[in-house]
C-alpha cells in the first residue's frame, strides 16, 4: 500500500509459511518443486534471466506474463495451450489479443532446448515466468512446483468462459470455485492488477452515462472522476492505456487494494471487490500494518493452487519443441 514498505525479500515467517503451503498443495498433483533439478538444473535460472532481460527493455511484459498464466490455466488447465498459433486457437481469441510477453516464452524455450533438448515444457516456462514477473516488479518470490506437460488442444471458443470485467462477484466466485479456488483466492489473484494497464475502451463507460444515468459510476470517488475523464475523454482514443493501480502501476504491492477502498478501482469488477461484502472482508486483510504480509503469503499460495489446475503429467500431453506448435 502507499506509504508501506514492500520488500522483494520475504521474512523468515513468510517464507516458512509459503514453503509449507506449497509442499501441501503439490502433494498428489504430479508437480513438485525442483522437478528439473537432475534433468535440467539450469531451467529456472534460464527462465529468470530471460524475463529479467526482456523486462529491462519492455517492462510491460511483466503484467502480460501474469495474465498469460491466468488465461492459460482457466482454459484446458495449465498446459500452455494459450501459446499455440492458429486461426481458431486460444491465442487468436479476443480476450488474449492484448496479452504481451509471448516473445519471452519463445526466447526462454529456445535457450532451454539448446541446454536441455526435449526436457522443459512450455507450460512450466509460463508458470515460472509468471513468478519471475512478480519478482522483477519488486514483488515477492516463491517456489514454483514444476513437472507439467504441454497440451495438444487449443480452441478459441473456450475463452468465452474467462471472467469478464462487467460480471458480478457471485459470477466470478462461481467461475473460480469450478477450479477449487475460493473467495480468498479470487481476491488475492485479482491483486495481480497491482501492475499493468488497461485500455480506455474497457472502462470509460463507467465515466459517462453509466447504466443509463446521466453521470459516472457512483462507486468511483467523485474527486477521481475528472482525472479519469482527462485520460479517457468521451469519444476519445479507446486504445489509450491507463494504470490499473493508480500511483503504483509498475510495482507489485498492496496499493491496489488501498485504491479499491478509496473508490479508485479502474475496472468495474475490481471495484466490486470492495463494494461486495463477501470480498471486501478479504480486501480489508490486505490493508493496514499486516496487509502486505497477508497479501504476500496468500498471493503465493493462490498462485500455486491456480498453477495446478488441470495439469498434464506423466504420459499425458507432450513436451513441445516449439511452444507455438504441437509436435
Amino acid at each position: 500500500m502507499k506509504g508501506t514498505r514492500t520488500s522483494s525479500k520475504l521474512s523468515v515467517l513468510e517464507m516458512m509459511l509459503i514453503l509449507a503451503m506449497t509442499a501441501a498443495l503439490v502433494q498428489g498433483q504430479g508437480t513438485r518443486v525442483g522437478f528439473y533439478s537432475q534433468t535440467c538444473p539450469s531451467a529456472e535460472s534460464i527462465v529468470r534471466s530471460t524475463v529479467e532481460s526482456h523486462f529491462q527493455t519492455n517492462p510491460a511484459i511483466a503484467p502480460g506474463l501474469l495474465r498469460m498464466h491466468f488465461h492459460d490455466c482457466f482454459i484446458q488447465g495449465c498446459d500452455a495451450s494459450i501459446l499455440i498459433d492458429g486461426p481458431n486457437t486460444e491465442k487468436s481469441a479476443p480476450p488474449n489479443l492484448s496479452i504481451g510477453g509471448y516473445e519471452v516464452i519463445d526466447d526462454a524455450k529456445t535457450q532451454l532446448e539448446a541446454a536441455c533438448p526435449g526436457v522443459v515444457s512450455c507450460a512450466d516456462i509460463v508458470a515460472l515466468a509468471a513468478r519471475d514477473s512478480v519478482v522483477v516488479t519488486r514483488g515477492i518470490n516463491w517456489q514454483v512446483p514444476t513437472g507439467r506437460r504441454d497440451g495438444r488442444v487449443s480452441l478459441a471458443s473456450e475463452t468465452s468462459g474467462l471472467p469478464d470485467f462487467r460480471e458480478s462477484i457471485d459470477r466470478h466466485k462461481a467461475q473460480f470455485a469450478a477450479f477449487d479456488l475460493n473467495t480468498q483466492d479470487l481476491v488475492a489473484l485479482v491483486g495481480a492488477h497491482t501492475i499493468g494497464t488497461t485500455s480506455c475502451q474497457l472502462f470509460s463507460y463507467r465515466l459517462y452515462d453509466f447504466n443509463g444515468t446521466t453521470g459516472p459510476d457512483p462507486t468511483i470517488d467523485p474527486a477521481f472522476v475528472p482525472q479519469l475523464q482527462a485520460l479517457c475523454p468521451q469519444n476519445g482514443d479507446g486504445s489509450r492505456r491507463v494504470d490499473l493501480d493508480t500511483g503504483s502501476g509498475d510495482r507489485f504491492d498492496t496499493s491496489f487494494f488501498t485504491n479499491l477502498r478509496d473508490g479508485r478501482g479502474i475496472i468495474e469488477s475490481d471495484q466490486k471487490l470492495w463494494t461486495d461484502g463477501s470480498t471486501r472482508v478479504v480486501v480489508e486483510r490486505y490493508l493496514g500494518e499486516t496487509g502486505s504480509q497477508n497479501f504476500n503469503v496468500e498471493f503465493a499460495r493462490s498462485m500455486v493452487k491456480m498453477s495446478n489446475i488441470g495439469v498434464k503429467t506423466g504420459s499425458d500431453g507432450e513436451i513441445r519443441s516449439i511452444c507455438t506448435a504441437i509436435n
Side-chain angles (χ1 to χ4, degrees), residues 44-218:
E44 294 199 26
S45 63
I46 288 174
V47 175
R48 183 182 307 109
S49 64
T50 304
V51 171
E52 291 171 347
S53 175
H54 282 264
F55 180 77
Q56 291 302 314
T57 56
N58 181 18
I61 61 102
L65 291 169
L66 265 179
R67 187 175 171 214
M68 181 189 299
H69 187 36
F70 176 83
H71 282 211
D72 182 44
C73 291
F74 267 56
I75 306 296
Q76 292 285 339
C78 307
D79 65 351
S81 53
I82 194 173
L83 304 179
I84 299 173
D85 285 337
N88 297 304
T89 61
E90 294 170 38
K91 194 176 187 179
S92 69
N96 294 330
L97 293 178
S98 61
I99 290 180
Y102 290 112
E103 69 279 10
V104 181
I105 306 301
D106 293 340
D107 187 1
K109 180 61 172 176
T110 298
Q111 295 180 57
L112 286 164
E113 284 300 300
C116 317
V119 174
V120 182
S121 70
C122 299
D124 278 341
I125 297 173
V126 172
L128 291 166
R131 185 270 311 277
D132 296 335
S133 71
V134 172
V135 175
V136 296
T137 49
R138 294 173 288 177
I140 59 174
N141 198 350
W142 68 92
Q143 292 185 309
V144 176
T146 45
R148 301 166 191 79
R149 290 171 67 85
D150 301 322
R152 299 186 178 96
V153 177
S154 183
L155 300 173
S157 59
E158 294 191 348
T159 62
S160 61
L162 289 168
D164 184 85
F165 58 89
R166 292 200 190 200
E167 292 174 331
S168 68
I169 292 298
D170 283 343
R171 170 61 177 159
H172 284 183
K173 287 195 296 186
Q175 289 170 308
F176 275 65
F179 299 110
D180 293 324
L181 298 172
N182 58 32
T183 301
Q184 183 173 288
D185 296 318
L186 165 63
V187 178
L189 291 170
V190 173
H193 287 175
T194 183
I195 57 174
T197 62
T198 189
S199 60
C200 287
Q201 62 188 342
L202 296 184
F203 73 91
S204 59
Y205 69 90
R206 300 182 67 208
L207 309 178
Y208 311 95
D209 305 325
F210 179 70
N211 283 351
T213 68
T214 58
D217 183 342

Side-chain angles (χ1 to χ4, degrees), residues 39 140 147 191 282 320 326:
T39 56
I140 59 174
V282 183
R320 289 184 218 142
I326 300 170

